[in-house]
């Protein structure tokens, strides 16, 4: 039974919630002189003090009655003044001890320690001392008869306190001993030896009686507390069983018909007890399958076990009651009478439908993606493993295709995760339709999907499936009134040719996918052994890149930007260069993507910013420096502080620094990028938008950010020089828009006089390109802008003079020939 362990745990909890009470009552512990290690004495003493608090009113009345009798004797013997003084002292003592008792009384809510017992005994000793005053102090002025009356009053108090203080025997014994010894001493002082002996015997009897009364009281409290503990445990067990409400007893005869139907079993069947008595058990729980004969496998198992008369435990059976499927957990054993004859089965059962559904849900979540409903990585791995084993067995081939969505991240970041999730659902539906029965498709995570193609595949079939997937997934999607366009890249690997294990094949397909993404996406690449070489080279390059800053392997080259009309140098763009000790000069096209993937772009970018500011501080005041900034840097919350630090350290005025960003920085987290750029503009720096028009539209950001410059990509410049209508229209539109927004335009990649003439004609204000100068070292840039008479004139003049010199030299060589 599933609920019995829970009941046992509840009983165990009850045992631990209240520590066990003492099993033996030692006399020193009863008095409160020691605290034995065994048992919960603190809890027991709290029971003692609860009894003391209940007797408080009776004790006060007893003290008041005895005080009136004592005053009658003292007033006649020692006078009113001493009598009233004693009475005041007694009243103060009674009030004090009562307050002490109330303060330390737990009212059953806390445990009492030895210190509380001793405090109470000390207060009782003070009260006893006040009662002993009349017979000890006033005894010489009193006669023998008066002493006898006082002793009678004291004896009454001793007997009463022995009973009333039985709950706290230490206080009772202290009170009895002090009063008893006082009486014995007084009688001996008057020469009444017989009376002293009687008083001594009375003292012993009352002290022993008080102790035994205390022991009896504690014995009764132990028994009472034990009954309470047992009652708590029974209550917990009953409550635990009642809360289950899914357990019942069931019984069948040798003919497998139910007998002695309990109300709870009938309730589980949804019937009345008399309606199911004598009916076959399987018929009751089989539902419609009883008529068709198509039973669930679990019902077959139950019927076979009963038929073979086998005991079973926790057998999961699917039952059908009133057309609804439920799960029962049954346990039973065969019953044999005293003559050894089989008389049926008796057992217990419980409805575990909710638990079984939870288990099924957990099993589903372990093998299927919760968002798309497709098989997840685990199930894809299992499918690929099975396909590889079949391919190995039948000497055939299987394939694994890894799919990554192009431009999904941009949609997810701009339109939100809710739209992104719904788009993934649409992709999953479409992918399932595209793959069909050809293979098993699933989701690996994020925007990555995969397809397992079973045996009998070849390169042509894989390529056909891949291109069908790319074409199908690239069709537009309608999500929440948005028309969305994405693409797909596919990498594939064939098993066992490209990998003998599941892990190897999946890794090689991933390498092929990486190659497809590197080539711009929307393509299928099959695995090649050379991809391992590329991946290894990338890894080695990353290792070297991690040490490049420490080894001072980076440098900056500066490309001039000139005025389109005058040809004067207006600024330089700082371009990073890397000369590795192991690899030599490495192109930025190679190491920048590696730096971004390895999250090294932030420290490299900070170094470039500081170096460029330090160099620009040497130039004449009008000359600016432009530094490229990546999206990773803009997402760094400290980037604005880094800019401030670089400017302060170099002494470069903020208006001479221009930060260049591309449109892609707004696609990751546009809000953070906008805030960072606004802070930089607030410092007085300029912000240039690089490669405008080559990526995603930035018109919304042009409205939110006041860019200082818009840079027209070289592809449009070259197209305009060839009189390409689209390029001409784009350049004119960008220039017109920049002029209206009071922004400058820079034409990139100007390399010929034709391109120069065209961008001037189109209205670009600044020009950058090889026509005016290639990226140059820092000293060459300094020489170019330094005020030297022999270099007066524009950079365009210098270029033309250089071209004339080259032409004259060529003519001289031709004449000599």
């Amino acid at each position: 039974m599933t609920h019995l362990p829970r009941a046992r745990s509840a009983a165990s909890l009850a045992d631990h919630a209240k520590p066990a009470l003492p099993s033996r009552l030692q006399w020193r512990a009863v008095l409160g002189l020691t605290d034995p290690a065994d048992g919960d004495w603190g809890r027991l003493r709290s029971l003692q003090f609860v009894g003391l608090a209940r007797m408080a009113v009776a004790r006060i009345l007893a003290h008041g009655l005895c005080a009136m009798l004592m005053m009658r004797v003292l007033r006649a013997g020692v006078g009113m003044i001493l009598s009233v003084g004693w009475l005041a002292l007694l009243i103060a003592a009674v009030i004090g001890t009562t307050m002490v008792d109330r303060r330390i009384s737990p009212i059953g809510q806390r445990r009492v320690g030895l210190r509380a017992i001793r405090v109470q005994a000390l207060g009782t000793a003070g009260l006893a001392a006040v009662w002993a005053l009349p017979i000890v102090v006033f005894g010489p002025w009193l006669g023998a008869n008066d002493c006898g009356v006082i002793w009678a009053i004291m004896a009454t108090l001793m007997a009463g306190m022995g009973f009333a203080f039985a709950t706290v025997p230490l206080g009772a014994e202290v009170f009895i001993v002090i009063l008893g010894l006082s009486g014995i001493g007084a009688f001996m002082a008057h020469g009444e030896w017989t009376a002293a002996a009687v008083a001594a015997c009375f003292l012993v009897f009352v002290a022993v009686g008080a102790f035994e009364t205390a022991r009896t009281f504690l014995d009764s409290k132990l028994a009472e507390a034990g009954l309470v503990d047992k009652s708590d445990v029974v209550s917990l067990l009953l409550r635990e069983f009642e809360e289950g409400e899914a357990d019942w007893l069931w019984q069948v005869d040798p003919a497998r018909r139910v007998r002695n139907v309990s109300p709870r079993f009938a309730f589980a069947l949804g019937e009345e007890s008399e309606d199911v008595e004598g009916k076959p058990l399987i018929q009751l729980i089989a539902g419609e399958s009883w008529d068709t004969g198509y039973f669930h496998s679990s019902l077959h198992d139950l019927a076979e076990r009963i038929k073979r008369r086998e005991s079973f435990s926790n057998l999961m059976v699917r039952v059908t009651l009133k057309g609804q499927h439920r799960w029962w957990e049954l346990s039973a054993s065969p019953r044999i009478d005293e003559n050894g004859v089989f008389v049926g089965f008796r057992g217990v059962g419980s409805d575990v439908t909710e638990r079984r559904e939870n288990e099924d849900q957990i099993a589903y979540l372990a093998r299927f993606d919760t968002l798309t409903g497709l098989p997840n990585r685990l199930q894809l791995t299992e499918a690929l493993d099975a396909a590889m084993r079949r391919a190995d067995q039948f000497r055939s081939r299987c394939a694994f295709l890894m799919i990554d969505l192009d431009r999904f991240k941009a949609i997810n970041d701009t339109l939100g995760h809710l739209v992104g999730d719904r788009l993934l659902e649409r992709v999953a539906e479409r992918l399932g339709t595209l793959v069909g029965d050809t293979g098993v498709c699933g989701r690996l995570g994020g925007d990555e999907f995969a397809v397992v193609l079973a045996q009998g595949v070849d390169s042509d079939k894989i390529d056909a499936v891949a291109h069908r997937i790319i074409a199908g997934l690239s069709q537009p999607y309608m999500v929440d009134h948005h028309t969305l366009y994405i693409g797909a890249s596919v990498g594939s690997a064939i098993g066992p040719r490209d990998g003998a294990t599941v892990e190897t094949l999946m890794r090689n397909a991933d390498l092929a996918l990486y190659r497809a993404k590197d080539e711009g996406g929307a393509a299928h690449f099959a695995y090649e052994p050379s991809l391992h070489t590329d991946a290894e080279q990338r890894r080695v390059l990353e290792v070297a890149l991690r040490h490049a800053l420490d080894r001072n392997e980076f440098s900056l080259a500066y490309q001039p930007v000139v005025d389109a009309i005058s040809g004067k140098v207006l600024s330089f763009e700082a371009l990073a260069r890397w000369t590795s000790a192991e690899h030599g000069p490495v192109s930025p096209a190679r190491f920048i993507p590696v730096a971004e993937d390895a999250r090294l772009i932030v420290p490299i970018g900070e170094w470039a910013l500081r170096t460029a500011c330090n160099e620009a501080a040497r130039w004449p005041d009008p000359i600016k420096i432009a530094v490229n900034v990546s999206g990773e840097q803009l997402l760094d919350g400290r980037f604005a502080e880094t800019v401030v630090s670089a400017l302060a350290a170099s002494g470069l005025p903020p208006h001479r620094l221009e930060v260049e960003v591309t449109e892609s920085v707004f696609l990751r987290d546009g809000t953070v990028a906008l805030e960072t750029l606004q802070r930089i503009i607030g410092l007085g720096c300029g912000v240039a938008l690089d490669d405008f028009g080559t990526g995603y539209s930035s018109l919304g950001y042009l409205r939110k950010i006041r860019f200082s410059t818009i840079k027209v990509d070289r592809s449009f410049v070259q197209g305009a020089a060839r009189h390409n209508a689209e390029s001409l229209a784009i350049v004119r539109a960008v220039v017109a828009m920049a002029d209206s927004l009071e922004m400058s335009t820079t034409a990139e990649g100007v390399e010929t006089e034709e391109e120069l003439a065209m961008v001037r004609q189109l209205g670009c204000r600044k020009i950058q390109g090889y026509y005016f100068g290639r990226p140059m070292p820092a000293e060459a840039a300094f020489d170019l802008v330094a005020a030297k008479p022999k270099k007066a004139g524009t950079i365009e003049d210098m270029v033309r003079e250089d071209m004339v010199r080259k032409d004259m030299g060529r003519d001289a060589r031709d004449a000599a020939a």
Side-chain angles (χ1 to χ4, degrees), residues 67 186 307 353 401 535 580 638 662-663 670 697 785:
K307 180 180 178 181
T353 304
L401 281 67
S580 170
R638 300 171 301 163
T662 61
E663 297 167 293
S697 174
V785 298

Side-chain angles (χ1 to χ4, degrees), residues 59-142:
R59 286 189 289 115
I60 293 174
L61 292 176
H63 282 296
L65 180 60
C66 291
M68 288 190 296
L69 295 175
M70 185 67 75
M71 283 294 294
R72 185 178 181 85
V73 176
L74 293 179
R75 186 175 56 184
V78 298
M80 182 61 68
I81 295 177
L82 291 177
S83 300
V84 172
W86 173 83
L87 181 61
L89 191 62
L90 177 65
I91 292 173
V94 171
I95 293 174
T97 54
T98 302
M99 291 179 64
V100 169
D101 291 348
R102 289 177 63 85
R103 187 179 299 112
I104 64 178
S105 176
I107 315 300
Q109 296 179 358
R110 65 177 176 86
R111 286 169 169 75
V112 176
L114 293 177
R115 183 176 181 277
I117 291 179
R118 290 166 184 169
V119 169
Q120 195 276 337
L122 185 62
T124 305
L127 179 62
V130 174
W131 277 109
L133 281 176
I135 199 169
V136 174
V137 177
F138 304 147
W141 295 306
L142 299 173

Side-chain angles (χ1 to χ4, degrees), residues 233-547:
V233 172
V234 172
S235 298
L236 284 172
L237 289 172
L238 290 175
R239 190 181 308 117
E240 182 72 15
F241 186 79
E242 290 171 358
E243 289 174 353
E245 293 187 359
D247 300 82
W248 62 80
L249 299 176
W250 63 278
Q251 181 177 332
V252 295
D253 60 18
R256 307 175 206 169
R257 299 177 180 273
V258 295
R259 300 297 179 187
N260 300 324
V261 179
S262 66
R264 294 184 66 178
F265 183 35
F267 178 79
L269 291 167
E271 306 284 352
E272 296 295 332
S273 299
E274 57 270 17
D275 295 336
V276 298
E277 181 74 27
K279 289 186 177 181
L281 173 64
I282 303 300
Q283 179 183 357
L284 291 172
I285 63 178
E288 296 178 354
S289 61
W290 177 261
D291 298 325
T292 63
Y294 296 106
F295 297 138
H296 190 267
S297 59
S298 61
L299 289 176
H300 276 294
D301 191 16
L302 173 64
E304 285 298 316
R305 289 173 185 265
I306 294 177
K307 180 180 178 181
R308 295 195 298 265
R309 302 178 184 179
E310 295 178 354
S311 297
F312 52 89
S313 177
N314 301 328
L315 180 64
M316 299 294 293
V317 179
R318 197 191 78 172
V319 303
T320 305
L321 305 173
K322 300 184 183 302
Q324 183 180 9
H325 297 306
R326 302 194 67 81
W327 285 94
W328 284 3
E329 188 176 71
L330 301 178
S331 300
S333 298
R335 298 171 54 227
I336 307 297
D337 65 10
E338 61 276 7
N339 298 319
V341 178
F342 171 70
V343 293
F345 271 82
R346 177 182 291 166
V348 293
S350 60
D351 190 318
V352 294
T353 304
E354 183 177 351
R355 190 186 78 190
R356 177 60 183 251
E357 290 176 349
N358 290 339
E359 291 173 352
D360 290 345
Q361 179 69 11
I362 292 172
Y364 176 84
L365 294 176
R367 297 176 57 79
F368 288 88
D369 179 60
T370 55
L371 177 63
T372 63
L374 293 178
N376 61 7
R377 180 181 290 270
L378 173 63
Q379 191 172 168
L380 284 169
T381 303
E382 292 175 350
L384 181 58
D385 181 62
M388 291 191 70
R389 281 189 279 106
R390 286 195 302 271
D392 184 62
Q393 179 181 358
F394 297 105
R395 296 185 178 280
S396 60
R397 292 179 175 183
C398 63
F400 185 74
L401 281 67
M402 192 171 288
I403 307 162
D404 187 85
L405 303 181
D406 301 332
R407 299 185 297 280
F408 171 78
K409 183 171 179 53
I411 293 174
N412 202 42
D413 290 343
T414 53
L415 298 180
H417 293 286
L418 182 60
V419 173
D421 288 347
R422 289 176 180 170
L423 176 58
L424 289 176
E425 292 174 356
R426 305 288 193 281
V427 170
E429 294 172 2
R430 193 174 294 181
L431 181 62
T433 303
L434 293 169
V435 175
D437 297 332
T438 307
V440 178
C441 64
R443 183 185 178 210
L444 296 174
D447 61 346
E448 283 192 344
F449 295 81
V451 175
V452 176
L453 300 179
Q455 58 184 358
V457 298
D458 54 28
S459 298
D460 293 338
K461 181 178 181 181
I462 296 172
D463 192 61
V465 171
H467 282 92
R468 186 166 72 243
I469 291 173
I470 294 171
L473 297 185
S474 299
Q475 298 301 310
Y477 300 82
M478 284 297 299
V479 179
D480 291 351
H481 308 293
H482 297 284
T483 302
L484 306 178
Y485 293 87
I486 60 173
S489 301
V490 180
S492 64
I494 298 176
R497 185 195 70 184
D498 297 332
T501 64
V502 171
E503 293 77 11
T504 304
L505 200 64
M506 294 179 72
R507 185 178 71 246
N508 291 344
D510 193 29
L511 289 174
L513 174 62
Y514 194 89
R515 172 70 180 278
K517 299 290 287 186
D518 251 5
E519 295 295 325
H524 165 235
F525 271 84
Y527 169 76
E528 299 173 356
S530 61
L531 294 179
H532 267 296
T533 304
D534 296 340
E536 179 61 18
Q537 289 177 352
R538 188 180 182 90
R539 187 192 67 80
V540 172
L541 197 66
E542 179 183 331
V543 172
L545 192 60
R546 291 186 179 278
H547 302 287

